[in-house]
Amino acid sequence: MAKDKDYKDTELQDPKITSPRTAEEPGPKPEKGEDSCCTPQQKGADKDEEERSSFIPTIVSLILLLFGIGLDFFDVEWFKGYLRLIVFGVAYVLVGGKVVQHAVTNIGKGNIFNEFFLMTIATVGAFYIGEYAEGVAVMLFYVIGEHFQEAAVARSRRSIKALIDNRPEEVSVLNNGQVSIVNPKKVNIGQIIQIKPGEKVALDGEMLSESSSFNTAALTGESKPDTKKKGETVLAGMINLDRLVELKVTSGYEDSALSKILKLVEEASGRKAKTQKFITRFAKIYTPIVVFLAIGLALLPYFFVDTYVFDEWLYRALVFLVISCPCALVISIPLGYFGGIGAASRNGLLFKGSNFLDLITKVDTVVMDKTGTLTEGVFKVQEVKVRSLEKDRFLALTAALENKSTHPIASAVVEHSGKAYKQLKVQDVEEIAGHGLKGTVDGQELLIGNAKLLQKFNISYAPEIEEIVETIVVVAVDGKYEGYITIADKIKEDAALAIKQLRDYGIDNIVMLSGDKDSIVQKVAEQLKIDKAYGGLLPQDKVDKVEELKKQGKKVAFVGDGINDAPVITLADVGMAIGALGSDAAIETADVVIQTDQPAKIATAIKIGKKTRQIVWQNTGLAFGVKALVLTFGAFGVASLWEAVFADVGVAFLAILNAVRLQRIKF
């Protein structure tokens, strides 16, 4: 077979996601001009080496800081003057260089009062009055916070790439009886392609073979296979389950169903909900007030104090600035969120950024996929109803014939029946496309399939069969209707608890979206007491439903597990993926991953988010309260640098202890 080697997909290679703390707008596509001081800005292909190297200056700075503090503590004679300044100065530049650079750059843009500017003047002030370690520590803590946040979202860089890797890179094209392997992009509409059993369909096409079953999970998220017959449409992303089939291509590569899903993900990424860092918003008010108060404290006493000495009042102003330095905020806010992220991880939840801990507390609408999220995603026998035979005999006969089929529904029947069927002799097996199986088992003629199979052989059956919404296997023995087996996707044990807990947390708008048929979806919704449910949806339909909710002003969390859910997960204010059984694409695209496959963890995530926000606000109140008190003392010359250090480092330490408390709370 000829093979076209030039088929590597280079589009959308290496997507980037920046840290929510360092980006003005969190999400996969940073806006032009966004301000980030400490996250490495990657160009072209991201390199793991570049990420690791970004930690080196921080580590060196930390070593120099501890070295300098140790020498100061033991009052080493030779560690004085310029040598001391050089050691702390190098430590400062390593971590504070970019902060100072951003402060200067922002001044040039007219954006003066921000956390970069305040940290710069406060730390430079600390150096001016000889408190070198304090100046270095402020910058060091800030950058460490950046690194922690960067690590929390590192897995998200490949969110779109994970989807791209799911597109087939080659396709078998049939031309004049010869098969060649080529790039799907080079296949024209009207050409004939072959799909082997177990192979993913690369292009949309019309079925030329008689029939075959396809796994449609990549498009609908549903585990139930779909049998396609001659003349019907087969979409890219489906997986052929039965036999070698031939398709006539009806759409180009870029117009295929799977490519459209990728486009949806990209568009949804651009519409990601925007959040702004609290400290940045606060700094716009806090920074100018502190700066002007410090200037006033240094200069205004000249007009009112007879014994005014500039150096004395400048010293007070610098103490004032050191006290006002946002070290406690810089530490307590991210550490509070990191504590929440740590607590979440121990409860089977992965938050990919601290902003999502905050966003999840604002959610008022939870939208969930059905299969794999609220249900097991695996076919199980639900009910067996028999007319005259013994139940065990009925199951053994049915399983003996179903064992000759590779269909997942047949496998569910065989698994449920036990081992008795293995003793039975099966002959004359015939598959009737779109209907079921015919064969002889232990001398008895069996028909196993859907109601259409019995109609085909003019066998009457119970009317109740037509009213059953689950997947049903109807059985006839020796020309007479004998009973049926219902098969359905089992609801997860904690699904009902998940809905109840969400309502306990004030989430009154709960919606279920599914690609499964609407009758089944409505039955599951009724059992779980879900407010609204929609079935028979494709990925675009799910996107439309979520967009409709967002236009109504709702804060939406979406929970799903399949590739088809990735566009909606990305679009939602908080996208959540069921982890252990979920697709890689859904997990990489999600903001929150439920690693235990328990929908009840949705409510746990909300609880952790609310507790984290409470801790953060406690730390913020503590920092402001103590600082306001010591600032007042400093302005009147009562507070010395010892009080200034306590107001900054001491409060930061208390804030750390409060944040660590999150780790011990049981959720």
Side-chain angles (χ1 to χ4, degrees), residues 315-331:
Y315 178 83
R316 290 190 184 185
L318 291 175
V319 170
F320 185 87
L321 282 176
V322 172
I323 297 171
S324 65
C325 184
C327 182
L329 288 175
V330 169
I331 294 174

Side-chain angles (χ1 to χ4, degrees), residues 237-251:
M238 294 181 177
I239 299 175
N240 183 21
L241 298 177
D242 287 350
R243 57 182 66 85
L244 179 70
V245 298
E246 294 181 357
L247 303 179
K248 180 180 179 181
V249 177
T250 56
S251 299

Side-chain angles (χ1 to χ4, degrees), residues 272 558 560-562 565-572 574-577 586 589-591:
K272 191 72 177 179
F558 179 85
D561 73 309
D565 294 325
V568 205
I569 287 174
T570 313
L571 174 62
V574 179
M576 306 179 75
T589 308
D591 308 315

Side-chain angles (χ1 to χ4, degrees), residues 376 378-383 412 415-416 486-490:
E376 300 280 355
V378 179
F379 282 114
K380 296 288 184 182
V381 170
Q382 303 296 309
E383 182 184 9
E415 182 182 352
H416 180 78
T486 60
I487 298 173
D489 192 1
K490 183 181 178 183

Side-chain angles (χ1 to χ4, degrees), residues 258-276:
L258 200 56
S259 293
K260 289 177 180 177
I261 291 180
L262 296 178
K263 185 177 180 181
L264 288 173
V265 173
E266 294 172 63
E267 292 175 351
S269 298
R271 298 192 297 267
K272 191 72 177 179
K274 301 176 182 179
T275 58
Q276 190 178 21

